[in-house]
Amino acid sequence: MCGIVGYQGRNEAFSILIDALKKLEYRGYDSAGIAIWHDKSIEIIRRKGKVDDLRKAASENKIKGTMGLAHTRWATHGIPSERNAHPHKAGDVVVVHNGIIENYMEIKEQLKKQGHRFTSDTDTEVIPHLINSYIEKGEGFIDAVRLAIRGLEGSYALGIMRQKERIMIAVKKESPLIVGVVDGESVFASDAPAIIDMTNKLIFLEDNDIVVFKDGGFRIMDIDGNEINRKVHTVNWTGAMAQKGGFKHFMLKEIYEQPRAITETLIGRVREEKAEVDLDELKLPDMKDIKKIWMVACGTSYHACLIGKYIFESSLRIPVETDIASEFRYREPIMGRHDMLILVSQSGETADTIAAMKEGKKNGVYTLSICNVLGSTLSRESDGVIFTHAGPEIGVASTKAFTTQITVLFMLMLHMGRFLGVLDKKTVREKIVELKKIPHKIQSILNDAQKIEEMARRFITYKNFLYLGRGINYPSMMEGALKLKEISYIHAEAYAAGEMKHGPIALIDENLPVFVLSPHDRTYQKTCSNIEEVFARRGKVMLITDIYDHEMSGRADSILVIPSTIYELQPLLSAVPLQLLAYNIANLLGTDVDQPRNLAKSVTVE
Ligand code: F6R
């Protein structure tokens, strides 16, 4: 989820590329780099830190030329550093890359045997080496690129140049790439904001498109070299609209990014044929006699932990204790040598969660963090780390970070299930099959988002909401209620459905909407009894379930049907309508959805 820009034309490329990179800064990044072609040589400058640092370093070097590539990196493989920043070079080939190359280790090993030497920890670096290896075998530049991408698995948007020719190539698979149509000049970028001030005529490339830029023009071909045409779209976006990809808010954009974010989380890690989850980055100590798992975090990440407890306990039968990070360290938790402490954090910088990790270390337990931001304090200082690969999350209210955290917890459960010999291959394979269906099922919920917006309209006048769920659906509802509170400033409280009769039932009347999450699992009938208790007190019920219930229709205020899945994966699907409900209510009320009052994206104070 980094940023790419390419330019070829009559003007100095340097300032055009730097200005374009500046327009991608909102996405978050940790390093930047630029490569400028001039008279059969390419100068590369890379810097950890900001685009302004790169601008300063490059202008000190007086980098000149009318063709170039630039990149902002958001680390996924290898810490943020100058040597891991793009562009990467091998022989005379230079590459910038967005996405993840799934089979980079295999390619790297093969190329190493052929004498290639690598200087970074990135997956990207194999790409210029692979292209260069074909050039060394006598292939032309374009054919070498075509052959190389045949060998790549994973997702990529690429900008490629070589020293010998004034040609620039762009390629795309599962990562966005856009060509801007400008007279006599060529521009392309990963995101429209980078180039929208240069042109509003855009071509949105499709998977396996290869674009060759030469002499200020371009042609598009498929992977076999056949020329193809793509539609030119004239958009009327402003720069700010383009940053949000046409969505009104970052939060909405990030809700819609979830199918792709979860796919990125899974890439290279789940192997259905072998019934394996490969968490290479994780160096589990000898945990065969693990006694207990602790899961600790704050806010939304804490809700992921609560869901993790159900996922682990129902499948592995290992006790899991969850806690809020700010409570954990002050209650002197009793931890044993055979325990494991899992810390979940989008930012990896939350002060309470870092303090909880230190408490775990003090007690001598193995600490494992699940983080989104590579290079973050938590990811560096814990004993092991698994990255969620959700890409930068800009909206303050967490959405795609939450669902990718649950995805990682589920993968970790499968990994440990095999490692401990608790789960057989057949069970793991069946669960992987279900897991891989999730992005598609989320997409089908998103395709029906209109229905959720209509529902939201009916609820905007209410001042209090009750959210009910049982089992794994209870923490899903805690997260749903938190989303509504944070962005709409409406009070919402989540309760375990069976607990309602022990107190909150006193609140129920026609002024208290009750949202109920109840897929058809073993507690469905029990939850229906709780719904009857609400009806009896003239409460309004909005039911989210997975099979239409004729009995409930006509009685419930509304019923939303979402796809079915296995018990442990249900929260990944339920999260989406709850996020959309909160979003739509807040949007209709006109609150500042992306930066709700009093909240910060990263809470670095205790
Ligand atoms: C809610 C939200 C917060 C964070 C919490 C922890 O939408 O974003 O509740 O989940 O501050 O942050 P991280 O995950 O960065 O540790």
Side-chain angles (χ1 to χ4, degrees), residues 259-522:
R260 201 174 122 224
I262 293 175
T263 304
E264 298 257 341
T265 308
L266 300 180
I267 277 183
R269 289 165 162 173
V270 284
R271 302 194 203 294
E272 191 183 320
E273 335 72 57
K274 291 189 184 163
E276 257 175 31
V277 172
D278 182 359
L279 296 172
D280 240 6
E281 64 265 60
L282 179 69
K283 288 172 191 66
L284 274 184
D286 189 11
M287 289 235 127
K288 293 276 182 211
D289 50 1
I290 184 167
K291 294 279 181 296
K292 185 173 179 177
I293 298 173
W294 300 74
M295 294 188 187
V296 178
C298 302
T300 291
S301 301
Y302 169 64
H303 296 151
C305 292
L306 293 176
I307 288 164
K309 176 180 167 73
Y310 285 91
I311 291 175
F312 272 70
E313 288 187 342
S314 64
S315 297
L316 301 189
R317 309 301 303 151
I318 296 175
V320 176
E321 187 164 338
T322 51
D323 210 344
I324 295 166
S326 54
E327 289 296 315
F328 178 74
R329 62 189 289 225
Y330 294 110
R331 71 178 171 96
E332 297 175 22
I334 306 159
M335 307 180 102
R337 259 190 331 114
H338 299 291
D339 293 359
M340 173 177 180
L341 171 61
I342 299 178
L343 303 131
V344 181
S345 174
Q346 188 284 131
S347 60
E349 299 297 347
T350 303
D352 288 320
T353 312
I354 293 170
M357 174 197 62
K358 289 185 177 154
E359 183 67 28
K361 287 203 150 185
K362 205 171 79 192
N363 280 275
V365 301
Y366 176 78
T367 56
L368 168 67
S369 62
I370 295 175
C371 293
N372 193 33
V373 180
L374 210 125
S376 55
T377 308
L378 199 62
S379 71
R380 280 186 282 110
E381 294 187 8
S382 52
D383 299 313
V385 56
I386 309 175
F387 290 103
T388 48
H389 297 322
E393 193 178 62
I394 294 163
V396 165
S398 189
T399 52
K400 61 176 181 170
F402 175 62
T403 44
T404 53
Q405 286 165 351
I406 298 169
T407 306
V408 166
L409 285 164
F410 185 80
M411 288 195 299
L412 178 63
M413 176 276 288
L414 294 180
H415 180 78
M416 288 183 66
R418 290 300 296 139
F419 177 76
L420 299 172
V422 183
L423 297 180
D424 59 31
K425 281 200 166 198
K426 182 170 171 285
T427 311
V428 171
R429 186 173 297 116
E430 283 167 4
K431 288 183 194 283
I432 290 177
V433 168
E434 286 304 319
L435 178 60
K436 286 171 99 175
K437 289 182 190 160
I438 292 293
H440 182 71
K441 290 183 178 178
I442 293 183
Q443 191 56 54
S444 77
I445 300 173
L446 294 169
N447 294 346
D448 248 2
Q450 183 65 30
K451 248 189 230 159
I452 301 170
E453 188 183 338
E454 284 157 20
M455 270 178 194
R457 271 181 207 286
R458 293 213 283 279
F459 292 110
I460 52 170
T461 53
Y462 292 92
K463 300 285 174 256
N464 290 290
F465 286 79
L466 193 60
Y467 279 58
L468 300 179
R470 276 177 187 258
I472 203 164
N473 302 304
Y474 171 39
S476 288
M477 287 311 245
M478 292 171 79
E479 173 58 10
L482 177 66
K483 286 284 93 77
L484 186 66
K485 271 187 275 222
E486 304 183 275
I487 59 171
S488 71
Y489 318 142
I490 294 173
H491 176 245
E493 196 170 353
Y495 252 88
E499 183 69 4
M500 181 184 67
K501 56 188 173 295
H502 298 287
I505 199 163
L507 295 169
I508 292 176
D509 63 15
E510 64 277 23
N511 295 317
L512 183 81
V514 182
F515 288 177
V516 185
L517 173 61
S518 186
H520 283 64
D521 58 27
R522 65 195 161 115

Side-chain angles (χ1 to χ4, degrees), residues 238-258:
T238 61
M241 277 160 79
Q243 285 188 349
K244 292 172 192 150
F247 289 96
K248 188 171 175 190
H249 294 103
F250 283 114
M251 180 183 175
L252 189 60
K253 177 171 177 264
E254 285 156 9
I255 291 173
Y256 273 79
E257 276 173 356
Q258 288 176 111

Side-chain angles (χ1 to χ4, degrees), residues 45-107:
I45 298 181
R46 306 182 292 182
R47 282 294 176 274
K48 182 177 172 203
K50 296 288 156 199
V51 172
D52 281 335
D53 300 326
L54 180 71
R55 188 199 294 268
K56 208 163 144 255
S59 59
E60 276 162 11
N61 283 293
K62 298 223 172 11
I63 185 165
K64 286 211 155 294
T66 54
M67 178 169 86
L69 300 169
H71 189 265
T72 47
R73 175 173 188 255
W74 197 79
T76 58
H77 290 64
I79 57 161
S81 65
E82 194 167 316
R83 62 193 279 274
N84 287 332
H86 302 204
H88 288 282
K89 185 169 186 256
D92 80 339
V93 177
V94 170
V95 168
V96 289
H97 166 222
N98 284 5
I100 295 174
I101 303 302
E102 221 172 299
N103 58 339
Y104 82 101
M105 286 302 276
E106 286 157 49
I107 300 174

